[in-house]
Amino acid sequence: MAATSLSAESAIAPMPPLTDSHGRVIHDLRVSITDRCNYKCVYCRTGEVGAQYPELRIDEYLRLIEVFVGLGITKVRLTGGEPLLRRHVVELVRQLAQMRTPAGERLDLALTTNGHLLESLAAPLKHAGLNRVTVSMDAVDAATFERITRVEGSFAAVLAGVRAARDAGLTPLKINCVLLRGFNDDQIEGFARFAREENVVVRFIEFMPLEEGRLWTPESVVSLKEIVEALGSFRPIVRMAPNAPSETAVRYTFDDGVGEIGIIAPVTQAFCGHCSRVRLTSDGKIRTCLFSQSDHDLYGVMQRGGSDEEMVQFIRRTIEHKEARHHIGEPEFLKPSRSMVHIGG
Ligand code: SAM
């Protein structure tokens, strides 16, 4: 019997990639699994506001993520609030590690944490299938660190967490530091040493107007240019090639090749043109930009009994309208409708 050949019409067409109206392909999903946090970092929290939004069940996050993965998401980053406060986070990672992209590949699984609970969770997370963690750490001396987090003993806990994550193989281990003028801008050299001695990638992030209070001013931002100058006066630096076109950090090493420093400069060198990200909040809303003025209720579609196909259509329509860029520092800038901790960083 002759083999039947599939006609052009009957062949299964591959899903078109998830793109916005500016031609950007979206393949990176950040999922907040709680907006609770155990720190009250001075540049993020007022200290008076707690959790504001509900959390979904773990199986609900899994279904929403699976729909995104079917649309071409290849990288999932769990975040918060503080994601390690969420019960069953290890189980969530285990389930995500079973998911496959339409091409049959594993997801790139990462998690962003303040590191406070990481010492005991690093090995279980690695065994569950997590690839990498990014730890937020805004100072390398205990007194400055605890003045920022407003939690006693936090520095020792985070340092132990960083070392446990590195030893568990959650690498390359990245440390994110938000620099604020007058708070921790004296830490640059200390972080350069830390990157070299602890074998971690340190990334400095320019402060953005995403805090609960009203702290941000253009003057509070320590710019890429200033950071480069401070690093260079510690030791000569050498620019490294980007890992990928959508990479947010400008990367440097030192003249002896020891230590990697990244600088993420959303304020002075915006990278919106290469943005490949979309976010899902702890209550299941899509945010197309950190600075969006509204959310898109994907969870609502699911709750009303929406099919996967209905969710696919909802996601495509939402992403289509992703903002071209943010307007930080411009007269028409409006603060986003949620602050960082309630979006998911
Ligand atoms: N709790 C986790 C953590 O500490 O990494 C995840 C959530 S936290 C909101 C994510 C990241 O956002 C942290 O690295 C934090 O320093 C950063 N962040 C918070 N507010 C920021 C701001 N206004 N500008 C730049 N980065 C900010």
Side-chain angles (χ1 to χ4, degrees), residues 43-44 79-82 112-114 136 178 206-208 210 340 345:
Y43 61 85
C44 186
T79 182
E82 175 44 45
T112 296
T113 171
N114 60 28
S136 305
V178 179
E206 287 178 349
F207 180 40
M208 294 178 274
L210 283 165
M340 187 67 133

Side-chain angles (χ1 to χ4, degrees), residues 320-339:
E320 168 85 16
H321 295 106
K322 182 171 160 66
E323 296 81 344
R325 63 186 186 90
H326 68 63
H327 296 273
I328 301 176
E330 297 172 20
E332 66 268 36
F333 176 79
L334 289 174
K335 271 197 88 164
S337 58
R338 294 191 191 201
S339 56

Side-chain angles (χ1 to χ4, degrees), residues 5 31 66 74 90 104 119 131 134 176 188 194 228 256 265 331 343:
S5 68
V31 184
E66 195 159 30
T74 54
V90 175
E119 186 181 13
N131 300 115
T134 299
N176 278 357
I188 299 174
F194 190 79
V228 165
D256 59 358
I343 297 172

Side-chain angles (χ1 to χ4, degrees), residues 37-39 82-83 112-117 134-137 145 158:
C37 192
N38 41 359
Y39 283 3
E82 175 44 45
T112 296
T113 171
N114 60 28
H116 194 79
L117 301 172
T134 299
V135 180
S136 305
M137 197 176 156
F145 189 84
V158 172

